[in-house]
Amino acid sequence: MNVDLGDLNAFVAVAGAKGFRDGARLSGTSASALSEAVRRLETELGVRLLHRTTRSVRPTEAGERLLERLRPALAEVGAALDVVNGFRDRPTGTLKLNVPISAARLVLPSIVPGFLAAYPDISLEVIAEDGFVDVLAAGCDAGIRYDERLEQDMVAVPIGPRLQRFAVAAAPAYLDRHGRPQHPRELLGHACLRGRFASGSMPPWEFERDGESLRIDVTGQLIVRIGAAADLTVDAAIAGAGVVYLFEDWLRPHFESGALEPILEPWWLRFPGPFLYYPGRRLLPAPLRAFVDFVRNGS
């Protein structure tokens, strides 16, 4: 049996992305090239590996069994080949990170410029989205997530601020018209600018003070996708449309300019900062190892 390693990688990319087009986007090749590679692999093995429809691609039972063994094996092959990177004066290659939009905005700007300057031969690709994804299946080397969303078999390294808060604010003109709430329950009488996750759930606004915790199901006319459209709620709040609830660091420039006025600050919810996480295998690709060391050293 003469199976090409590239064809195996193509199969894993397509199966992980659940489609040829997305697999091509994540692997940096064309959908037609991936299709041809998978076809060659199936012919060589003499078994169908993928169910293909106009709407989806999913592994057959044989494909699932092959994937279970291939993913760790290919990871080890990649890590073994990457060992030679350690003999270079400077590591080279591509590092792909999957991060929430909040991290792309609030965490990475203070890290990325210095990292790129320290490692000029490394290309960094950042995929920002707020859906919970398997970073390996998505073709990424590592991700950034908050503690409650970490997978158990991952190594986690603190990255960015270790303590954050959700802030509440509105335009001074809005507060002049509608009053300044002194307790979170008073928000039930205000126009609140809400967010909805991609899953469809709409989280309540959370508050805490002196050991007391509150979850308020606010109401309001505007609802946006959490992360992707958060700036719309900020702009609407600045224009006087209502009250916004968002990361303190996201709103701070508008506090400093006076465009937004913080409210209920003693009740702002504190929570631990995010983590860089990656598979706990023994050998890391050189670009990822360089990034982990850079983050750990606080450079």
Side-chain angles (χ1 to χ4, degrees):
M1 186 177 296
N2 185 22
V3 174
D4 185 89
L5 184 61
D7 293 348
L8 292 173
N9 276 302
F11 165 63
V12 172
V14 173
K18 297 182 174 60
F20 287 93
R21 183 175 299 176
D22 287 341
R25 176 176 58 83
L26 292 171
S27 60
T29 186
S30 67
S32 60
L34 287 182
S35 179
E36 180 60 30
V38 172
R39 202 161 24 241
R40 279 196 307 268
L41 181 60
E42 289 178 325
T43 300
E44 183 65 33
L45 296 177
V47 63
R48 180 175 289 276
L49 299 174
L50 295 173
H51 291 299
R52 303 164 175 84
T53 69
T54 55
R55 293 186 176 182
S56 67
V57 173
R58 60 184 178 85
T60 63
E61 183 179 357
E64 288 282 7
R65 295 287 183 88
L66 183 59
L67 275 174
E68 291 174 4
R69 304 295 295 271
L70 268 183
R71 279 178 171 145
L74 289 175
E76 285 301 318
V77 169
L81 293 174
D82 191 66
V83 167
V84 300
N85 231 339
F87 292 92
R88 299 178 185 271
D89 293 334
R90 297 184 302 195
T92 185
T94 299
L95 172 63
K96 291 186 179 181
L97 300 179
N98 183 282
V99 308
I101 292 169
S102 58
R105 183 182 182 108
L106 304 177
V107 175
L108 291 182
S110 64
I111 296 172
V112 166
F115 175 72
L116 296 179
Y119 297 97
D121 296 325
I122 293 178
S123 297
L124 176 63
E125 180 178 347
V126 177
I127 300 170
E129 56 187 353
D130 280 298
F132 185 61
V133 300
D134 181 331
V135 293
L136 294 183
C140 296
D141 301 294
I144 294 178
R145 288 292 182 271
Y146 286 85
D147 185 47
E148 70 274 12
R149 302 182 69 182
L150 292 178
E151 298 173 37
Q152 293 183 353
D153 59 345
M154 293 287 185
V155 175
V157 176
I159 185 171
R162 300 323 308 142
L163 185 67
Q164 295 182 278
R165 294 194 298 178
F166 280 120
V168 193
Y174 171 90
L175 296 172
D176 289 342
R177 292 195 307 271
H178 300 282
R180 288 165 171 78
Q182 301 302 308
H183 191 279
R185 292 193 183 92
E186 295 178 31
L187 291 172
L188 294 173
H190 284 264
C192 295
L193 309 169
R194 296 176 293 167
R196 189 192 302 275
F197 287 116
S199 65
S201 66
M202 193 178 305
W205 290 8
E206 298 185 65
F207 300 89
E208 64 178 11
R209 182 179 185 180
D210 299 331
E212 180 182 1
S213 298
L214 294 174
R215 294 163 61 91
I216 308 295
D217 289 311
V218 298
T219 60
Q221 290 178 278
L222 179 64
I223 301 172
V224 306
R225 175 66 58 86
I226 288 177
D231 276 327
L232 177 57
T233 62
V234 177
D235 292 341
I238 291 172
V243 181
V244 63
Y245 177 91
L246 200 57
F247 290 90
E248 178 184 5
D249 291 341
W250 202 313
L251 297 180
R252 184 178 293 115
H254 305 295
F255 295 158
E256 294 172 353
S257 71
L260 290 176
E261 180 181 327
I263 55 176
L264 298 171
E265 187 167 358
W267 286 92
W268 288 0
L269 180 70
R270 290 173 166 81
F271 56 96
F275 293 83
L276 173 72
Y277 75 107
Y278 55 91
R281 59 176 182 256
R282 187 162 49 96
L283 296 174
L284 295 182
L288 176 56
R289 185 169 60 249
F291 190 73
V292 170
D293 290 343
F294 190 83
V295 169
R296 279 180 167 155
N297 292 334
S299 300

